[in-house]
Amino acid sequence: MHLYHRFVLAGLISAIALLGNLAAARAQDEISTPTLTPAPATPSGDIINGTVVITPTETPTPTFTYDPKLPTVTPTRTPLFGVPTATHTPTPAAVPTHIVMPVIEGTPDPSLPHLGYGIHVGPHTRIDPALVYNLNVDWVKLYDVPQLDDYPGLRVLYRMDIDPMPNLDAFRAEIIHRTQEVTAKGVDAIEVGNEPNLIIEWAPKPNPEEFTRYLCEAYRAIKSVAPGVIVVSGGLAPAPSLPDGSAINDLEFAQRMLDAGAGRCFDVFGYHPYGFNLPPEASPYEYEYGFRRAERVRKLLVGYGLGSKSIWMTEFGWLYAPSEEGVDCNGKPGFTGFEWIQLPKATVAEYVVRAIRYADVHWPWAGPMFLWNLDWQMYGEDYLPLCNQMRWFGLVDRNGNPNIIYQRYAAAPRRFNPRLTSAARASLSEVTLTTWTEDMTEIVEAYCPAEVRIGSFTVVNDGPDIGFEAVIEPVQGPGIPVTHTSRHTATHNDEVEVYIQTNTLKPGLHLVAINIVMFYDGRRMSTNVRGWVLAQPPTSPECVANAAGQ
């Protein structure tokens, strides 16, 4: 989203609250030795000039039953300004654990990646790339052409904003020029537009049929010069329809797009399943707005015969409470209307990890998921006011220091997919080397003469059933814990345990990385897994003595 645009969203967020969020719904490339250090009850309200002004009320606690297939993650670590407050203690909605999945037919196109782990990097910024690489992502979403050279080895989703133009020939020429410019820098996917169901992104008012016309023109123009690039339709915002037409319900907007022929004009469908104040498992058939609203979008696509189209979560996340950083934003410009969805950082961190897990288990039709956002906190207050809500989704503080959400997202279990070339997408006879990684995080005492298990991962071949042997190569180097694994080689479904030595480990946050390499049909293939170790200052006598001797 544009920075200015997020100011306007308070009215829409408040409108969602006014509807009643809890009301029933209707029916990697290899890692080299690093040299960089990782561094509601419904509120009451009135609509005034299109903005809903609300008085939030306490969120009732929904009742759920436990499902052991979705283990609880212990909280350890998501849009932005402030002053100390002692008057607001955000309370997260209760955690739903019983999952009832609707039966949805349709097989996604297997030539496109299932899942993927991405992050938004703010436009007009040039941050330390280590902040992105150490997040353990394989995708990055970028807005500016100069940024496209900053992240070699990662897949790139580029957001190409579009506006209606009376001269379609000029529009097509511009799209072709921009496509050639970004694909020359290795862009893998282009998202055409952003949240066109909101007036702040499509003026003079949202119009699904008009947007579809320009989406189709852009799609044809892009494919004419870059047939292998993945085209994503502009991600829709979860929103209600407003009486003045400044917003259109995302499901209605999508249906009208499809009625206008949009199904022929995207490779994958873009969507923004924000969690609001709900945990990721909350049913979209019991709660109107939440992470799983994407399932209702999926059902709509299938109903139009588009079951082969994946949905990419081009934005998702939860907002954390500024009060945790001593900032009082309640009632302040840029934050008004967002108070009811703010959560503790630890809760946001847990929800992010569980959202990834949920999508991996239950959404075979899901493509990459792009967490909003990495670094909006790092903008100067002259550019983005302190209490603008965009800051308070961020994974780093104003000095670029990772918070608990960053740490948990970096260490979350995930399965990486190899980069798919155009040839691979044309022929799916490729072996695909992936991993399923346990939550590899551990807190240890620095300088203790010990060996600590920090987790494990499983080597998986998601391609044809062939025999293979992969080499397991822990990354060793300055600032990295001495690491070894339970296996030096692995085949399909082999579990590999990861251990570190702590006797020379200094206090601080340390990256652990392991490369997995194999050769097939004369080609070298690789992926990697990463974890984090937080070494606390030594306190036990043995460790203190060992530290003194270092």
Side-chain angles (χ1 to χ4, degrees):
M1 297 183 182
H2 287 308
L3 301 180
Y4 166 76
H5 292 163
R6 286 280 183 165
F7 286 99
V8 188
L9 285 184
L12 291 169
I13 297 292
S14 300
I16 291 171
L18 189 63
L19 290 175
N21 192 50
L22 299 182
R26 288 167 300 197
Q28 278 329 313
D29 298 316
E30 285 182 68
I31 308 173
S32 302
T33 299
T35 57
L36 297 167
T37 303
T42 304
S44 59
D46 298 294
I47 299 179
I48 302 174
N49 296 327
T51 297
V52 182
V53 180
I54 65 169
T55 303
T57 55
E58 184 178 355
T59 302
T61 301
T63 302
F64 299 89
T65 55
Y66 177 65
D67 183 343
K69 296 191 294 298
L70 289 169
T72 298
V73 181
T74 303
T76 60
R77 237 187 60 94
T78 181
L80 301 174
F81 277 121
V83 214
T85 179
T87 60
H88 179 75
T89 304
T91 302
V95 177
T97 50
H98 179 63
I99 306 302
V100 179
M101 287 293 296
V103 176
I104 298 177
E105 302 298 332
T107 303
D109 182 351
S111 71
L112 297 171
H114 169 55
L115 287 191
Y117 311 91
I119 190 67
H120 285 251
V121 174
H124 321 304
T125 62
R126 303 301 289 270
I127 61 170
D128 184 348
L131 283 173
V132 173
Y133 286 110
N134 291 340
L135 261 179
N136 202 17
V137 294
D138 53 346
W139 284 87
V140 60
K141 182 172 174 178
L142 300 174
Y143 302 69
D144 285 348
V145 173
Q147 296 173 309
L148 298 178
D149 295 322
D150 292 349
Y151 305 100
L154 295 183
R155 308 178 203 187
V156 175
L157 170 63
Y158 176 74
R159 198 181 92 177
M160 183 180 287
D161 292 323
I162 61 171
D163 296 299
M165 295 175 61
N167 187 325
L168 284 180
D169 289 336
F171 177 81
R172 284 188 290 267
E174 179 183 331
I175 296 296
I176 288 173
H177 170 74
R178 294 166 67 188
T179 300
Q180 291 172 325
E181 182 180 31
V182 300
T183 55
K185 293 179 175 290
V187 161
D188 298 88
I190 295 175
E191 183 175 16
V192 179
N194 178 67
E195 299 189 341
N197 58 320
L198 307 182
I199 193 173
I200 52 181
E201 297 284 3
W202 195 266
K205 285 187 178 181
N207 183 320
E209 293 77 20
E210 183 181 52
F211 174 72
T212 297
R213 180 185 183 188
Y214 283 94
L215 171 66
C216 291
E217 292 289 349
Y219 182 84
R220 288 188 286 268
I222 292 169
K223 293 294 184 177
S224 71
V225 293
V229 77
I230 299 169
V231 176
V232 188
S233 61
L236 299 184
S241 294
L242 293 182
D244 63 359
S246 61
I248 296 178
N249 178 288
D250 46 308
L251 300 179
E252 176 190 344
F253 194 95
Q255 182 170 353
R256 288 172 59 182
M257 282 178 60
L258 299 176
D259 285 341
R264 301 186 300 271
C265 302
F266 57 83
D267 297 319
V268 298
F269 193 84
Y271 191 61
H272 296 172
Y274 281 94
F276 295 89
N277 66 337
L278 290 173
E281 302 88 354
S283 169
Y285 298 95
E286 296 179 40
Y287 307 101
E288 185 71 24
Y289 291 96
F291 178 72
R292 285 180 58 195
R293 189 170 173 86
E295 293 170 17
R296 298 176 68 178
V297 177
R298 168 66 180 170
K299 188 173 183 178
L300 181 65
L301 292 177
V302 172
Y304 277 78
L306 299 171
S308 65
K309 303 280 189 180
S310 299
I311 298 176
W312 286 25
M313 285 14 98
T314 55
E315 292 181 21
F316 82 103
W318 285 260
L319 180 146
Y320 69 83
S323 59
E324 291 198 10
E325 296 186 6
V327 177
D328 180 9
C329 288
N330 295 331
K332 304 285 175 57
F335 203 81
T336 299
F338 289 84
E339 291 90 345
W340 67 280
I341 65 172
Q342 59 186 320
L343 300 171
K345 278 185 193 173
T347 301
V348 171
E350 180 179 357
Y351 285 2
V352 167
V353 172
R354 284 172 31 197
I356 294 170
R357 170 65 175 172
Y358 186 89
D360 186 64
V361 172
H362 296 283
W363 292 355
W365 40 266
M369 302 170 63
F370 294 84
L371 187 60
W372 170 272
N373 61 68
L374 176 63
D375 59 339
W376 263 251
Q377 276 283 21
M378 297 178 68
Y379 285 116
E381 293 182 31
D382 57 339
Y383 184 72
L384 189 69
L386 181 59
C387 279
N388 183 280
Q389 48 82 24
M390 285 190 291
R391 289 187 179 270
W392 304 102
F393 286 88
L395 272 62
V396 299
D397 66 17
R398 279 168 275 176
N399 296 316
N401 299 311
N403 62 23
I404 189 174
I405 307 164
Y406 180 107
Q407 295 164 3
R408 289 287 293 160
Y409 185 45
R414 57 193 73 195
R415 285 189 299 132
F416 286 112
N417 288 287
R419 180 184 296 272
L420 290 179
T421 63
S422 299
R425 289 199 287 270
S427 173
L428 295 178
S429 60
E430 300 283 331
V431 172
T432 57
L433 178 65
T434 64
T435 60
W436 173 252
T437 309
E438 184 184 318
D439 191 357
M440 293 208 306
T441 56
E442 191 61 63
I443 300 175
V444 301
E445 195 174 342
Y447 297 115
C448 285
E451 181 176 271
V452 178
R453 181 187 183 276
I454 67 164
S456 68
F457 62 91
T458 301
V459 176
V460 178
N461 168 28
D462 279 346
D465 184 14
I466 58 100
F468 74 94
E469 184 175 76
V471 177
I472 312 301
E473 300 177 342
V475 176
Q476 312 289 1
I480 298 178
V482 176
T483 307
H484 75 271
T485 55
S486 60
R487 294 172 174 270
H488 298 297
T489 61
T491 60
H492 179 62
N493 275 340
D494 279 346
E495 182 181 17
V496 181
E497 295 186 320
V498 181
Y499 300 86
I500 64 161
Q501 295 177 14
T502 58
N503 61 316
T504 60
L505 197 61
K506 297 179 181 179
L509 185 65
H510 301 273
L511 172 70
V512 177
I514 299 98
N515 289 322
I516 302 98
V517 181
M518 65 170 283
F519 291 88
Y520 174 70
D521 195 25
R523 294 184 298 110
R524 180 185 177 91
M525 304 179 66
S526 65
T527 186
N528 62 72
V529 297
R530 309 183 196 186
W532 293 93
V533 176
L534 178 61
Q536 298 180 329
T539 56
S540 60
E542 184 181 20
C543 303
V544 170
N546 189 43
Q550 295 281 332

